[in-house]
């Protein structure tokens, strides 16, 4: 079944009150999240390599009266759904996951060098992207988070729609590259990147797992940081957020896509998730029933780093 | 006045073990560097990583968190939970190149000498690193 048929059928049969999906945005290569409620709107539903938003974010802000909803889910949206169900933010029985195999999302910043590029001038063909008739390898145009993606199709789904070829791509190891640098170089890199941040909080607002009613970054009592975007305040914000996302980040890269300065902020979340996976054998959004890594412990947890 | 730079280290000590250990070092008149500023906390498990980050933000050159040895927690398991959080923070700061700014230790109430040794070692490491790199370009008036 195609995505459109599946979505239309769900609405027509009143299985759900809405389908959360993507619709064409007002700018080229942009899509916007949209809650489809009427089956005749479904023709406007799109799924293409420009659907970088994590839709699970919007499950937390559904309008009143929408109880049962279907979500168009790539691998990372699916993981976010599972993670939110695991944290009791959503009820699994009210959620219908319409899984779509994901070809990887194109980093639209990389299309900027073609001036006045129109959407119809870009097509995808297997592992290639064709821009104005010239084919390039797709991998070099993909978003950083997609180049290291491990779960392209949702792990948990109710319906898996057909279509959409999933080109196999080599997996990049961002952390290994960084870790191979000497300590001073790593700090130089992060100091530069953290200093650039203007603290617009777009990364937090795009994140499906950042749903606190009051964020520590904006808390006044107690206050952990100052609103001014200085290095030290940016440091507390990003490292503090990374600690909150340890074992919770679903590695969708929505934060990096939302960042107006293109700061590779997901690297921090990748690092904390990597520690949790390696030492506590927990991965976010994979298993609905697994206990959270920080509400449990083992007596033989690593201890060598403690004096 | 131009006194040589001395590191300032914020020490979060658990009330039941490390704080008592520091006390024992004191009453035993064991000498250790005066670079630490002690914050007494109920348990190492109550130390939110944000406390550590805030200490660095406020200009501390180093942070020491110390609690009871595993298995000896007054609240039975607080330090086991703490250890998980600290491991993640430790690895993250390691990636950032700030690993040696933040130290963790287990010091019991009977280990006065050990407390002095830990403070000595941590002070030396932080001294060798120099001032907190987050302080660059700081203004003086924006403490929250």
């Amino acid at each position: 079944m195609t995505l459109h048929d599946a979505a239309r059928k769900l609405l027509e049969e009143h299985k759900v009150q809405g389908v959360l999906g993507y619709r064409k945005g007002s700018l080229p290569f942009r899509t916007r999240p949209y809650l489809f409620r009427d089956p005749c709107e479904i023709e406007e539903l799109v799924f293409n390599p420009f659907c970088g938003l994590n839709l699970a974010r919007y499950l937390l802000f559904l309008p009143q009266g929408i109880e049962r909803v279907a979500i168009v889910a790539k691998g990372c949206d699916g993981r976010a759904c599972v993670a939110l169900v695991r944290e009791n933010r959503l009820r699994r029985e009210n959620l219908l996951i319409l899984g779509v195999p994901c070809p990887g999302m194109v980093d639209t910043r990389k299309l900027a060098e073609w001036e006045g590029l129109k959407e119809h001038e870009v097509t995808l063909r297997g592992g290639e992207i064709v821009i104005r008739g010239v084919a390039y390898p797709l991998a070099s145009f993909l978003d950083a988070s997609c180049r290291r993606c491990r779960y392209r199709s949702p792990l948990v789904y109710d319906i898996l729609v057909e279509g959409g070829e999933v080109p196999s791509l080599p997996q990049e190891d961002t952390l290994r590259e960084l870790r191979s640098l000497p300590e001073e170089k790593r700090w130089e890199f992060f100091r530069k990147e953290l200093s650039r941040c203007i603290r617009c909080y777009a990364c937090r607002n795009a994140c499906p797992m950042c749903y606190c009613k009051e964020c520590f970054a904006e808390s006044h009592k107690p206050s952990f940081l100052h609103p001014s975007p200085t290095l030290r305040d940016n440091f507390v914000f990003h490292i503090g957020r990374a600690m909150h996302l340890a074992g919770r980040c679903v590695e969708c890269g929505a934060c990096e896509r939302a960042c107006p300065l293109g700061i590779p902020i997901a690297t921090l979340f990748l690092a904390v998730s990597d520690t949790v996976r390696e030492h506590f054998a927990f991965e976010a959004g994979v298993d609905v029933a697994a206990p959270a890594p920080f509400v449990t412990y083992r007596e033989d947890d690593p201890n060598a780093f403690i004096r | 006045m131009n006194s040589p730079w001395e590191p300032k280290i914020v020490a979060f000590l658990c009330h039941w073990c490390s704080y008592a250990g520091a006390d024992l070092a004191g009453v035993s008149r064991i000498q250790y560097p005066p670079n630490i500023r002690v914050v007494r906390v109920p348990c190492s498990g109550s130390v939110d990583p944000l406390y550590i980050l805030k200490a660095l933000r406020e200009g501390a050159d180093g942070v020491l968190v110390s609690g009871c040895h595993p298995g000896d927690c007054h609240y039975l398991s607080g330090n086991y939970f703490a250890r998980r959080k600290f491991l993640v923070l430790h690895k993250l700061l390691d990636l950032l190149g700030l690993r040696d700014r933040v130290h963790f230790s287990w010091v019991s109430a009977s280990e006065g000498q050990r407390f002095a040794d830990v403070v000595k070692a941590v002070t030396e490491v932080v001294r060798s690193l120099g001032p907190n790199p987050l302080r660059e370009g700081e203004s003086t008036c924006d403490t929250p």
Side-chain angles (χ1 to χ4, degrees):
Chain A
M1 205 186 308
T2 67
L3 175 63
H4 290 81
D5 292 343
R8 194 176 292 114
K9 196 155 165 261
L10 286 172
L11 284 176
E12 277 168 357
E13 292 173 1
H14 299 287
K15 293 250 174 67
V16 293
Q17 285 137 338
V19 174
L20 190 54
Y22 300 94
R23 198 181 172 187
K24 202 176 151 351
S26 48
L27 292 167
F29 309 112
R30 289 279 175 182
T31 55
R32 62 167 76 146
Y34 188 74
L35 183 67
F36 295 87
R37 293 200 239 192
D38 189 336
C40 53
E41 285 178 319
I42 286 293
E43 59 196 63
E44 290 183 38
L45 175 69
V46 295
F47 185 74
N48 56 34
F50 302 102
C51 297
L53 281 167
N54 194 323
L55 286 181
R57 170 82 191 166
Y58 301 92
L59 288 174
L60 304 170
F61 304 102
L62 289 176
Q64 283 209 328
I66 301 282
E67 276 229 332
R68 215 172 131 71
V69 70
I71 177 171
V72 176
K74 315 183 278 292
C76 45
D77 306 56
R79 279 182 75 188
C81 290
V82 171
L84 290 169
V85 169
R86 211 195 59 73
E87 294 182 7
N88 295 322
R89 290 290 119 185
L90 300 170
R91 293 168 74 96
R92 181 68 182 90
E93 62 271 26
N94 287 343
L95 185 65
L96 202 140
I97 301 174
L98 255 174
V100 281
C102 173
M105 292 297 139
V106 170
D107 183 350
T108 46
R109 292 185 180 103
K110 290 188 180 148
L111 297 175
E113 48 181 283
W114 284 268
E115 233 170 276
L117 195 65
K118 301 280 190 323
E119 271 186 40
H120 65 84
E121 294 172 316
V122 178
T123 47
L124 289 190
R125 200 173 57 196
E128 286 180 331
I129 181 168
V130 185
I131 304 172
R132 288 188 178 147
V134 188
Y136 303 89
L138 179 62
S140 55
F141 280 81
L142 289 186
D143 214 82
S145 60
C146 301
R147 278 182 277 134
R148 54 185 174 234
C149 181
R150 288 173 298 125
Y151 303 106
R152 290 180 172 273
S153 296
L155 299 161
V156 177
Y157 54 82
D158 299 293
I159 301 170
L160 188 65
V161 303
E162 66 189 35
E165 38 182 334
V166 180
S168 66
L169 296 164
Q171 250 177 50
E172 282 183 18
D173 193 339
T174 318
L175 283 177
R176 204 177 58 200
E177 284 167 34
L178 255 174
R179 282 176 182 147
S180 66
L181 296 171
E183 200 172 11
E184 315 83 66
K185 290 269 182 237
R186 294 199 300 264
W187 172 242
E188 201 179 298
F189 171 76
F190 282 108
R191 187 191 57 79
K192 199 179 99 229
E193 295 297 338
L194 290 175
S195 305
R196 287 166 58 211
C197 173
I198 56 169
R199 290 252 300 291
C200 61
Y201 299 136
C203 49
R204 180 197 63 188
N205 295 352
C207 178
M209 302 314 294
C210 259
Y211 52 70
C212 287
K213 282 226 168 93
E214 193 189 3
C215 178
F216 76 94
E218 287 161 320
S219 149
H220 292 288
K221 265 186 175 178
S223 149
F224 293 100
L225 43 83
H226 193 266
S228 55
T230 59
L231 170 63
R232 56 189 177 147
D233 294 303
N234 294 348
F235 170 82
V236 178
F237 173 62
H238 290 295
I239 308 304
R241 203 165 89 82
M243 290 305 295
H244 286 180
L245 287 173
R248 300 178 61 244
C249 173
V250 294
E251 295 158 42
C252 61
C255 45
E256 283 188 4
R257 290 182 196 116
C259 181
L261 289 113
I263 299 171
I265 205 66
T267 319
L268 299 174
F269 314 137
L270 210 60
V272 288
S273 297
D274 188 62
T275 310
V276 170
R277 188 167 56 234
E278 185 185 340
H279 295 286
F280 311 143
F282 180 88
E283 205 166 355
V286 172
D287 183 353
V288 180
F294 295 103
V295 300
T296 177
Y297 64 88
R298 284 167 58 102
E299 290 184 5
D300 59 351
D301 278 336
N303 196 57
F305 72 102
I306 297 177
R307 282 170 188 277
Chain B
M1 213 170 71
N2 234 347
S3 52
W5 171 79
E6 277 290 323
K8 281 198 179 95
I9 297 164
V10 174
F12 293 100
L13 306 183
C14 113
H15 169 81
W16 304 99
C17 293
S18 299
Y19 192 84
D23 220 16
L24 182 63
V27 295
S28 313
R29 307 218 169 182
I30 301 168
Q31 297 289 311
Y32 62 84
N35 301 63
I36 61 162
R37 310 290 188 273
V38 175
V39 179
R40 185 174 61 155
V41 292
C43 176
S44 52
S46 72
V47 178
D48 189 316
L50 284 172
Y51 297 177
I52 300 170
L53 300 177
K54 173 148 180 171
L56 292 172
R57 187 228 170 261
E58 299 301 326
D61 301 302
V63 177
L64 168 67
V65 185
S66 191
C68 309
H69 286 275
D72 289 347
C73 179
H74 183 77
Y75 306 101
L76 308 178
S77 53
N79 52 5
Y80 285 124
F81 290 114
R83 187 165 63 178
R84 289 210 152 188
K85 290 185 272 187
F86 297 160
L87 176 73
V88 174
L89 182 63
H90 174 80
K91 293 260 182 187
L92 182 57
L93 292 177
D94 187 16
L95 181 75
L96 262 70
L98 297 176
R99 187 187 60 194
D100 292 333
R101 295 272 166 198
V102 180
H103 296 259
F104 306 98
S105 69
W106 305 136
V107 173
S108 84
S110 61
E111 294 176 323
Q113 184 60 54
R114 187 176 143 74
F115 180 79
D117 293 343
V118 165
V119 173
K120 244 177 258 172
V122 169
T123 307
E124 279 323 301
V125 173
V126 176
R127 195 196 305 278
S128 72
L129 294 174
N132 181 345
L134 296 174
R135 299 185 67 168
E136 69 168 23
E138 71 180 7
S139 65
T140 48
C141 59
D142 59 358
T143 300

